Structure formats: structure tokens, C-alpha cells
Amino acid sequence: MTQSPARTRPARSVLAGIAAFGALGAYVLVSSVGLGLWTSLGPGPGLFPFAMGAVLASMSVLWLLQELRRPSAAGDKADGGLVLAVVVSLVLLAALLDLLGFQLSMFLFLMYHLKIRGKRGWLSALLTALAGSVGAFYAFNYGLNVALPVSSIPVLNLIGL
Amino acid sequence: MDTLNELLNGFAAALTWQNLIFAFLGCLLGTVIGVLPGIGPVAGVALLIPLTLNMDPTGSIIMLCAIFYGTAYGGTITSVLLNTPGEAASAITTIDGHAMTKMGKAGAALTIAAIGSFVGGTIATLGLVAAAKPLGELGLLVGPPEFFALMVVGISLLVALAGKSMVKALISGALGLLISMVGIDPVAGAPRFTFGMDRLLDGVSFVAVIVGVFGLSEILSYRKGESTVVHAPGLRSLLPTGKEWRRSAPSMARGTGIGFGLGLIPGMTGSVASLLSYGAEKKFSRHRNELGKGAVEGVAGPETANNAHANAALIPLFTLGIPASPTIAVLMGAFLQQGLTPGPTLFTEHSEIAWAIIASLFIGNLLLVLLNVPLVGLWTSILRVPAPILTALILLFMVIGAYTINFSVFDVFVMIGFGLLGLALRHLEIPLAPMVLTLVLGPLMERSLRESLEISQGDFSIFLNRPISLVLIILGVLIICSPLLKLRKPKALMDDPET
């Protein structure tokens, strides 16, 4: 395995991470003051978040100083295509779950991952997608008494989807 | 005698057919989770919590506990047969376990691992039986200041031991505490960090957060690997020789001691137990020069240690309400979801449930041996399922798991958001374990801090005026300051993926 050369400047993604945590810490500090640090009854709802905001902000500063002194190597980069495919398909699934119902939306989601991304054969993809959508719906609804959503479109609802 | 009676009553409750089925299913699911690379015990237990929500509390916790220790054994199968640990605590077993497979002794390695797991798990559970009453009674004497200080120590240990950088571990811990504060403030009733969204008034679902941070982010960071061919050993080759039994016994004894001791200390994960056990074998085994070349001690010691650890780690949870590891923190979340508060009051308010769960640990450990050794062929066949099908099915369970917590699509979006956050945290090498622990402990910690300050009318010296609390606070400060004091972190923890 080849060793990557030591960095002379902090990685951009690391700096962005530090900035995000620092900003979050600062936001929590300010908003917890607004919540009230102390009331006549004792500690207010903002006291604990204030302490955590302070930890987050101060640790971000410390991390920045550490990075400026000795930049660390950023972690492995994720496969952008995979992240995009999984996240977008999950967002679409979540958005369509109540509209199309669990069975149809999950069937489409599984077909996308099995047939288009996974390049499985039609039969294997169809059987797995049906088991994961219709099969899971009936197993959860009737086997475990856990209600999965049905379609809010009357036509689809009428045919049991 | 009281303890024995209560344990016997616990056995009567655990041996009902429903609870036996739950323990059986838990062992099965736990083994599957352990076998599957990429989905560790933390995400696995969190993912399956929604399935147990409609069950009665006893059955639900029995099943989740069985899943928890089932994962410890499942990870061994892939370590031995494939040289790929299904979960972190079995990583060290790959060295001698896989070497034994190459020598045609895979069956013996798996049987020794199963028996070692049974021995370690059973002895640790006996420890839980012995410690439950006295520690529980001691726990009842603990007031809010001591409880707060105890949680400070627990979190400090995990923060100090997690990952390579304490700064990053503290960020992770603070992040978990902040997430736990979203929603209505428990004392004043004011909404906090809800951004005007009604759905956030009840807080963020911890299952959605954990499944996102641990499970989804793992899939998002997945890289294409080589396909592997798995050959399960035949039934005839499962029996170790007399010599292998004799060589394993001292290693199992050492592994039990190490796993049990480390299970009691918050922050020490199963991986540390198995690594230290391997270290002990290197030092004390009569056949230490064979380690690394397929020595049975290299399987017996670590596998016993990680199961002893898994069961012993339940002692601080049951008696003091302190989760010792991220998976136990998730288990604690499941207790809370079922309306059970782990800790000393568990034995006074829900004594029957507590003893039924403890009794089920003995049964579950036995079930694991009976199930896993003869069915090793079935477990390995899971690994022949093509990756796209496995990924799609895991995503399916994640969506169902997140949705069914509140029957709301909102939680699916929360899971997706936290999956991306988990991916970013992995990229930045921020450890995830402190976040899980503080996420579960956050509300309890805040409540005990505020109760303490109400008792003292706002005087922070209450934490220093009470001896137990003072000692614990000093301990917590020493742990956090350990880098300044140049205290060495155990080497085993530096690259522990569990932390």
C-alpha cells in the first residue's frame, strides 16, 4: 500500500467540517441564552444546551488550531454515484410513501436498486421486489400488527395498494 | 435465597413458549446481523427495535438482548470462514480462526468459538445474578448529584477512549447531547431547537438517528469489494479433538476473566476485550509460538472474552442505569421506549421483568450453541446472496424501522439526514460511539443536573460536597485530562471501529 504524502495544508472538507461545527456551536450558544439560562425555580431550559454549545464551539477552535499546526489526512472519499443514487431514491420513496402506499413505492424503489443499479435478471429482481414490498406489507400488517401505509389515491387504495 | 427464588421465578417467565420464541428469533436475527458485513450490532439492534414495539416489555427486551449477544457469535462465522469479521469484536479471531480453516479445521474452530461464547456468556450472567441485588441496593442510595457524576464518568471514559482524537470525541458527545435536547424541555415545558416544527416537539426519534448514523452511513460509504466463495464445513468436522478441548480450556478461563472485568467498565467495547484476550494468550499460553498459525487458543480466548463482555456489560445497565457501550446504549433506549427505566429501580418496580430477562440470558446463550454450530451451513449461505439484493433488503428494513417508530414519513427523512451526517462524520474521522451514548443519556443527565441544582438552590458545590459525587467528578476530570497527564490510551482502542 502506498502512503500518501504528509499534507501541508488542512483539507478543504476538514475545514468545512470545522466551520460547520463552530457555526452550530455559536448558534446553540446564542439561542440557549434566549431560552433562559436561569429561572426563579433554578436552572433554565437553556443552561444545558449553553454548556454543550460552548463545548462544540471551543472544540471546533481547538480542532482548527490542531489542523493548522499539523494537517490531518482526510478520510476516504465516498462513492459519489452510490451516495446520490441511494439518497435520491430514499428521498423519493419517502415522498411517495403516503401517496402511492408502501407496496407500490417500495416495489419501484427495490426494482430500481435491483434491476437498474444491481443489474439483476428480471425474474430475480421481480421476485425480490415483490417479496420486499407486497410480502413485507402483509407480513407486517397481519403478522406483526404493524400498519404500513396504504395509498391515498382512491383508485390504488381500492385495489388494495 | 431471595435472589435464587427470584431467578427461578424469572426462569418460569422466560420459559413460556412466547418468550422462548422471542429468544430464539433474537438469536437467529442477531446471528444474521453478525454474519452480514457492514451492519454492526448498534445499527442492527436499533433497526429491529420497531419490530418489538407491539410486544409486551419482557418479550421485547428478551428478543433485543438475544439479538445483541447473537451478533457477537455471528461475527465469528465470517471471521473463521472468510477472513472477514462480521463485526468488530471478532476481528482478532480472523488470525487463527481463518488459519484453522485453511488447515481444514473450520468446524472445530467454530465449535470452540460457540462453546467459548457459551461459557463466557453464562459465567458473566452468573456475575449479573450475584451483583444485581447488592449493586441495585447501592444504586438506590444514589441521589441526583451522584447519578449525574456517574454519567459524567461514563461519558468521559467513552470520550477519552473513542477514536484517535479527544477533541473529535468531545464534538461527537456534544452533538449527541444537543440532538437529545430537541423538543419540549422536560422541566419548564418550553420548546427547544424545534424550528417551529410541531413534529419536533416530541424530540428526534433516536431509532431514526441511530439507523441513519450507523446503518445508512455504512451503506453510503460502501466500496465495491471482491466476491468471495464460502465453503461451510460439514457436520462431521465440527467436533474438536480431545487435545483441542484441553488446549482451549485455560484460554476460555482467561477470556472469561478479561471479558467480564472489561464489561463492567464503560467505554471498553467487545473489541477491546477480544484484543486484550489475544494479548493474554500471547503472553500466557503454553502454545504461544503457534499463535497466528492456526492455534485454537487464538479462537477460544477472544471469542470467550467478547461474549463474556457482552453479558457483563449488562451489569452496569441493570444495576446503575449506565450503558457501558454504544450497543448497550441502544438497548437502554429500547428499555425506555417500553416504559422501563434501567437502573436500581428496575428491581423494585419491575422485578419480574428484570429477572425474566436475566433468566433469558442463560437460555439465549444455550440456544446460541444449539443453533449456531449445526446451522453453520445456513449462515454462510447468507453470504452467497448477491450484494445488490442484500443492500436493497437492508434499505427496506431501514425504511420500515424508521417509519414504524411513529408511523410517520418524517422519521424516514430524519434517518436520511442523519445517514448523510454519519457519512460526513466518518469522512472527518469523528467517532460515532460518544454520540450514541450521549443521545440516550442526554435527557437523564440533564434531569439529574437540574434536580441537583434545584436541591442546592443553584449552588454547583453540591457536586463537591457529597463524597461519592466528589470522587466521581474528580475521576471524570482525570479521565478527560488524561492526554494532558500523558496517560497512555490502550493500543487496542486506537483503531477500534466500535468506538
Side-chain angles (χ1 to χ4, degrees):
Chain A
M1 219 166 87
T2 53
Q3 194 91 29
S4 57
R7 298 188 70 96
T8 51
R9 292 173 57 186
R12 263 194 294 183
S13 58
V14 173
L15 287 177
I18 294 172
F21 288 121
L24 179 65
Y27 167 77
V28 172
L29 272 175
V30 174
S31 30
S32 47
V33 173
L35 286 168
L37 299 181
W38 209 264
T39 67
S40 53
L41 296 169
L47 182 71
F48 210 51
F50 183 83
M52 289 310 109
V55 170
L56 208 52
S58 54
M59 287 305 118
S60 302
V61 172
L62 254 176
W63 187 10
L64 179 65
L65 293 175
Q66 285 180 347
E67 282 294 327
L68 291 175
R69 216 176 50 171
R70 194 187 305 160
S72 63
D76 293 336
K77 270 198 171 164
D79 175 350
L82 172 88
V83 174
L84 201 67
V86 172
V87 171
V88 171
S89 62
L90 276 173
V91 168
L92 280 173
L93 171 69
L96 294 172
L97 210 54
D98 283 334
L99 184 72
L100 297 181
F102 175 82
Q103 295 172 84
L104 189 54
S105 51
M106 185 54 82
F107 176 77
L108 295 172
F109 174 82
L110 291 175
M111 280 304 282
Y112 166 70
H113 281 280
L114 294 165
K115 184 67 205 151
I116 300 174
R117 275 196 61 78
K119 298 188 172 53
R120 306 294 308 157
W122 274 108
L123 187 66
S124 146
L126 270 171
L127 286 177
T128 315
L130 277 172
S133 54
V134 181
F137 180 83
Y138 282 95
F140 275 83
N141 272 34
Y142 302 108
L144 293 167
N145 217 10
V146 175
L148 293 174
V150 287
S151 173
S152 57
I153 300 172
V155 182
L156 293 177
N157 194 301
L158 264 177
I159 55 169
L161 291 174
Chain B
M1 202 59 202
D2 261 4
T3 304
L4 189 65
N5 277 337
E6 280 171 308
L7 182 63
L8 288 175
N9 288 337
F11 268 107
L15 285 169
T16 60
W17 67 268
Q18 293 103 319
N19 288 337
L20 276 176
I21 289 176
F22 291 143
F24 176 80
L25 282 177
C27 288
L28 277 183
L29 289 168
T31 308
V32 172
I33 289 167
V35 167
L36 291 175
I39 175 160
V42 182
V45 176
L47 202 61
L48 297 167
I49 287 176
L51 297 185
T52 63
L53 285 180
N54 282 351
M55 296 178 182
D56 72 296
T58 314
S60 151
I61 304 295
I62 283 178
M63 185 163 157
L64 289 169
C65 283
I67 292 169
F68 165 59
Y69 49 76
T71 54
Y73 184 73
T76 311
I77 297 173
T78 50
S79 293
V80 170
L81 297 180
L82 286 174
N83 205 19
T84 310
E87 47 102 33
S90 300
I92 198 78
T93 312
T94 53
I95 303 173
D96 285 278
H98 193 62
M100 283 180 78
T101 299
K102 284 183 179 166
M103 292 155 70
K105 294 181 182 172
L110 287 170
T111 305
I112 290 286
I115 301 291
S117 297
F118 171 74
V119 170
T122 305
I123 293 176
T125 309
L126 281 172
L128 172 58
V129 171
K133 271 270 156 124
L135 272 180
E137 277 161 18
L138 190 73
L140 283 173
L141 303 175
V142 164
E146 287 81 13
F147 195 61
F148 176 77
L150 202 57
M151 280 187 274
V152 168
V153 173
I155 292 174
S156 307
L157 264 169
L158 199 71
V159 162
L161 297 174
K164 294 171 187 163
S165 154
M166 193 183 284
V167 168
K168 291 180 182 178
L170 277 168
I171 287 178
S172 173
L175 211 55
L177 280 170
L178 281 173
I179 296 165
S180 77
M181 280 171 220
V182 172
I184 298 269
D185 161 48
V187 180
R192 294 188 297 192
F193 310 113
T194 56
F195 309 102
M197 295 163 84
D198 290 347
R199 288 185 186 279
L200 287 178
L201 289 175
D202 285 336
V204 184
S205 151
F206 100 94
V207 172
V209 173
I210 302 227
V211 170
V213 167
F214 275 84
L216 183 58
S217 74
E218 183 72 44
I219 287 184
L220 295 178
S221 53
Y222 177 75
R223 255 167 226 82
K224 278 178 192 163
E226 292 170 11
S227 59
T228 39
V229 182
V230 197
H231 297 289
L235 273 178
R236 212 177 280 174
S237 70
L238 288 173
L239 221 56
T241 60
K243 192 179 168 198
E244 282 166 342
W245 283 121
R246 279 194 297 280
R247 282 177 57 170
S248 303
S251 310
M252 286 183 191
R254 282 188 286 269
T256 303
I258 290 170
F260 184 79
L262 293 181
L264 303 175
I265 306 170
M268 291 291 172
T269 60
S271 320
V272 182
S274 50
L275 282 168
L276 288 185
S277 162
Y278 195 79
E281 291 313 306
K282 271 191 157 173
K283 211 165 217 169
F284 302 112
S285 168
R286 287 174 64 188
H287 304 92
R288 53 183 169 269
N289 46 357
E290 288 176 37
L291 280 166
K293 299 168 198 156
V296 72
E297 291 88 345
V299 176
E303 284 305 315
T304 308
N306 73 35
N307 241 46
H309 175 278
N311 286 264
L314 294 171
I315 297 176
L317 178 74
F318 272 65
T319 55
L320 301 169
I322 299 290
S325 72
T327 322
I328 298 274
V330 176
L331 208 55
M332 180 170 172
F335 269 83
L336 296 172
Q337 295 237 341
Q338 287 286 356
L340 304 168
T341 306
T345 53
L346 190 68
F347 289 96
T348 50
E349 289 168 13
H350 303 283
S351 170
E352 319 81 59
I353 298 180
W355 285 104
I357 295 167
I358 293 174
S360 82
L361 298 179
F362 288 105
I363 299 165
N365 273 305
L366 186 64
L367 278 176
L368 266 183
V369 182
L370 299 178
L371 260 180
N372 282 315
V373 178
L375 292 183
V376 69
L378 174 73
W379 306 127
T380 48
S381 67
I382 293 169
L383 294 161
R384 294 193 203 111
V385 178
I389 296 182
L390 272 183
T391 309
L393 292 180
I394 292 171
L395 287 171
L396 161 80
F397 273 97
M398 284 177 180
V399 171
I400 294 177
Y403 177 85
T404 48
I405 283 291
N406 294 311
F407 296 97
S408 157
V409 168
F410 181 76
D411 287 332
V412 181
F413 285 112
V414 169
M415 178 198 75
I416 300 168
F418 277 94
L420 287 169
L421 175 69
L423 184 67
L425 294 178
R426 282 173 197 269
H427 176 70
L428 295 169
E429 296 185 331
I430 293 177
L432 304 175
M435 188 172 147
V436 185
L437 200 68
T438 52
L439 184 67
V440 176
L441 284 183
L444 300 174
M445 200 172 171
E446 184 181 13
R447 195 172 32 190
S448 54
L449 171 73
R450 287 167 77 167
E451 279 172 3
S452 307
L453 291 175
E454 276 164 23
I455 294 169
S456 69
Q457 293 172 326
D459 186 359
F460 278 90
S461 66
I462 188 170
F463 297 107
L464 308 176
N465 292 338
R466 297 163 69 124
I468 299 175
S469 151
L470 175 68
V471 171
L472 291 170
I473 292 281
I474 291 174
L475 198 61
V477 171
L478 279 176
I479 294 163
I480 290 289
C481 294
S482 56
L484 298 176
L485 303 171
K486 308 240 183 262
L487 297 177
R488 276 180 62 197
K489 187 190 286 195
K491 203 174 161 227
L493 279 158
M494 295 298 279
D495 297 310
D496 181 2
E498 259 186 278
T499 58

